[in-house]
Amino acid sequence: MQEIHRIIDQMDRAFSGDAWHGPSLMTVLEGVSAEDASKHPIHGAHSIWELVNHIAAWNTISQHRLAGKQVEVTPERDWPPVWEVSETAWKRALNDLVESRKRLRDSAKPFTDAQLEEKATGPDYTRYVVLHGVVQHDLYHAGQIVMLKKALAS
């Protein structure tokens, strides 16, 4: 099996699959309403919706960096704001998350082992490190979302 297939397997498990650590990111997001997603139940923490927008943004930033494109990561690009709180807008945010991951996944799938060792644009990371970073990023923020959901329930 090529290394890229193993990495994509880990990306899929963290994002929406059967991860050994617990629920995947998309599983954690199941059943969250727009109203709850927009709340800030922990002082100083981002909302679930802000985290979803942030993860989608980094899927796109990572995709561009893997392709050799320069990306300026402004605060608004890093943490896109929530402009409207409605179920339609929330579903759009979730769809954007899924679509951004699909584009990232599809762009990474053809990489050979040699291409994984090439430097991506941005910080001094190889494509291999960027793709593993995407997995780590999903898991980190999924954990935050679990905590936010617990705070909402209390």
Side-chain angles (χ1 to χ4, degrees):
M1 179 185 280
Q2 291 180 316
E3 184 63 22
I4 191 61
H5 295 137
R6 287 190 284 270
I7 295 170
I8 287 176
D9 177 63
Q10 291 301 302
M11 285 174 61
D12 291 348
R13 288 173 185 270
F15 188 74
S16 62
D18 183 23
W20 72 266
H21 74 278
S24 66
L25 175 63
M26 293 307 294
T27 300
V28 167
L29 290 168
E30 286 176 7
V32 174
S33 68
E35 181 182 349
D36 282 349
S38 69
K39 291 180 180 176
H40 292 86
I42 299 174
H43 178 73
H46 289 284
S47 69
I48 293 172
W49 200 325
E50 290 166 338
L51 290 168
V52 164
N53 288 351
H54 171 73
I55 297 165
W58 276 93
N59 283 336
T60 301
I61 292 165
S62 297
Q63 177 193 352
H64 291 311
R65 287 182 170 174
L66 291 169
K69 298 176 185 171
Q70 291 292 334
V71 180
E72 181 183 353
V73 183
T74 62
E76 271 201 355
R77 187 163 203 174
D78 190 10
W79 291 96
V82 176
W83 294 107
E84 170 197 348
V85 177
S86 69
E87 287 301 325
T88 300
W90 174 233
K91 285 180 182 155
R92 190 176 329 118
L94 291 172
N95 187 58
D96 288 347
L97 176 62
V98 169
E99 288 301 313
S100 67
R101 176 49 58 87
K102 181 182 180 327
R103 288 189 304 272
L104 171 61
R105 188 185 187 283
D106 290 348
S107 72
K109 198 171 183 178
F111 288 148
T112 64
D113 288 356
Q115 288 173 314
L116 287 172
E117 293 305 318
E118 294 173 359
K119 187 179 176 308
T121 57
D124 192 22
Y125 300 126
T126 62
R127 287 176 172 145
Y128 178 90
V129 170
V130 170
L131 289 169
H132 278 283
V134 168
V135 174
Q136 296 161 7
H137 193 244
D138 283 353
L139 298 176
Y140 174 73
H141 289 307
Q144 289 179 318
I145 292 167
V146 168
M147 297 305 294
L148 289 166
K149 287 174 67 174
K150 286 182 180 188
L152 285 166
S154 56

